[in-house]
Amino acid sequence: MKYHYQEKIYASTLYIVPTPIGNLNDITQRALTVLSHVDLVAAEDTRYTGLLLKHFSIKNKLFMLHVHNEQQKTKLLVEKLQDGKSIALVSNAGTPLINDPGYYLVRCCREINIRVIPLPGACAAITALSASGLPSNRFCYEGFLPSKTKARRDILRNLAYESRTLIFYESPHRLIYSLHDMIKEWGSKRYIVLARELTKSWESLYGASIEKLLEWVLEDKNRYKGEIVLIVKGYVKKVDANILDSSTLRTLILLQQELPLKIASKLTAKIHGITKNTLYKYVLNQQKDDK
């Protein structure tokens, strides 16, 4: 692998620049270089970004771009880019566009072939997922759940059979309601991890069934203060004997009389074109039932 160390700031280019989600040491050297040398920094909140730039002794022009003015202000920013200006897009924390403003601006730039350069960096969803202990090869990011109960439950109901690991952002004042609704739509036993105030000195991660997690947070309101990410185990289909036809079961029984269960399951799976885990779980469930 070849590494490139020199950062050249290009004209007529939009840079997407992640910023720390708590620990200022998480900002990259490349991000600092871009923020120092672009012509303009488009920020979700100039107060937050102003403090960040001041901390790193960076002086640059700031432009407010938030969810309420993005469509209105995008035209002006695009004109500046077309005139040869370089612009860095930042949010208050984390990677821009991930539940933050910027989508409309980036889409407009892409449509008229203005160069967009994304920088890697902090993202609360990915940080929480990496430490959750849940499968990370396939996941589904859902952002914030709706504030209204019906809309929230409708979305949870639609996700009831989603097999990928689920990622949600949640606010402290809605967490309890969301956990109650998850229990109503998914049952109380689904495993969930609450990651709070990531990268800060008081960060915490706690994993349990939804029912146990709800009990845990209700014991101490400090356990759900601050920025929250929820990582939820995806739906796991229960082994159903009905999906195994009589021919498959007969083969499994005959092989099991002569071979260990794992080998018998593996061979039966190959013969009938089904997964060995399905067969193995079926036999284990049968053994439990016999006891």
Side-chain angles (χ1 to χ4, degrees):
M1 179 183 291
K2 293 183 178 179
Y3 293 95
H4 181 72
Y5 296 99
Q6 185 176 358
E7 185 65 41
K8 179 181 179 181
I9 303 301
Y10 295 95
S12 299
T13 300
L14 176 68
Y15 291 84
I16 301 173
V17 183
T19 54
I21 58 176
N23 190 325
L24 291 178
N25 290 324
D26 289 334
I27 199 164
T28 67
Q29 183 59 54
R30 187 181 179 199
L32 293 175
T33 300
V34 170
L35 291 172
S36 298
H37 294 96
V38 291
D39 296 307
L40 182 69
V41 178
E44 182 182 4
D45 189 323
T46 53
R47 294 169 298 178
Y48 279 92
T49 303
L51 291 172
L52 177 71
L53 297 186
K54 183 178 180 180
H55 178 82
F56 290 104
S57 302
I58 296 172
K59 293 182 179 180
N60 210 330
K61 298 175 184 176
L62 292 171
F63 183 96
M64 184 85 82
L65 185 77
H66 51 68
V67 67
H68 301 295
N69 75 352
E70 184 177 355
Q71 294 198 24
Q72 176 189 356
K73 297 297 184 181
T74 286
K75 182 179 179 182
L76 178 58
L77 289 174
V78 167
E79 289 174 353
K80 290 180 181 294
L81 288 163
Q82 290 176 320
D83 287 341
K85 301 296 184 183
S86 56
I87 297 176
L89 173 66
V90 300
S91 60
N92 290 343
T95 300
L97 281 79
I98 308 301
N99 232 88
D100 283 324
Y103 164 73
Y104 186 73
L105 172 61
V106 172
R107 189 186 71 181
C108 288
C109 289
R110 299 289 298 171
E111 287 176 348
I112 59 177
N113 294 320
I114 290 175
R115 188 176 187 181
V116 178
I117 296 181
L119 275 62
C123 177
I126 300 304
T127 303
L129 176 64
S130 70
S132 68
L134 288 170
S136 56
N137 58 323
R138 296 175 67 248
F139 57 90
C140 180
Y141 171 73
E142 289 290 325
F144 283 94
L145 287 165
S147 58
K148 301 293 184 182
T149 301
K150 184 181 183 305
R152 183 168 59 242
R153 289 192 62 180
D154 285 345
I155 286 179
L156 292 173
R157 191 175 302 120
N158 288 334
L159 292 169
Y161 297 103
E162 172 57 65
S163 62
R164 293 172 292 180
T165 298
L166 295 162
I167 305 176
F168 300 94
Y169 286 165
E170 194 49 276
S171 60
H173 68 276
R174 288 208 304 262
L175 175 66
I176 304 302
Y177 300 107
S178 291
L179 292 176
H180 274 296
D181 287 340
M182 286 178 181
I183 290 174
K184 289 176 182 176
E185 298 300 333
W186 300 343
S188 62
K189 303 305 180 186
R190 186 84 71 95
Y191 187 79
I192 183 171
V193 175
L194 186 153
R196 186 183 69 86
E197 296 288 75
L198 290 168
T199 78
K200 300 174 184 175
S201 58
W202 50 87
E203 75 173 13
S204 66
L205 288 96
Y206 181 83
S209 67
I210 303 176
E211 180 182 44
K212 294 293 184 183
L213 178 66
L214 180 57
E215 293 175 0
W216 181 77
V217 297
L218 288 173
E219 289 173 358
D220 184 351
K221 64 181 181 181
N222 290 316
R223 291 173 175 173
Y224 58 98
K225 282 185 175 180
E227 303 290 334
I228 293 170
V229 184
L230 297 174
I231 313 291
V232 188
K233 185 175 182 179
Y235 173 75
V236 178
K237 188 175 181 180
K238 296 180 176 64
V239 177
D240 185 355
N242 293 327
I243 66 173
L244 304 179
D245 58 29
S246 59
S247 176
T248 303
L249 290 174
R250 188 163 52 250
T251 301
L252 177 63
I253 292 168
L254 288 172
L255 290 175
Q256 195 181 345
Q257 291 174 359
E258 304 294 331
L259 299 167
L261 173 58
K262 286 187 178 180
I263 297 175
S265 299
K266 184 177 180 180
L267 291 174
T268 304
K270 284 185 178 181
I271 293 169
H272 293 277
I274 58 177
T275 65
K276 66 176 186 239
N277 285 338
T278 300
L279 289 164
Y280 190 54
K281 288 177 182 177
Y282 166 73
V283 174
L284 290 179
N285 285 342
Q286 288 296 106
Q287 291 174 345
K288 288 180 182 177
D289 291 343
D290 291 341
K291 293 179 181 179

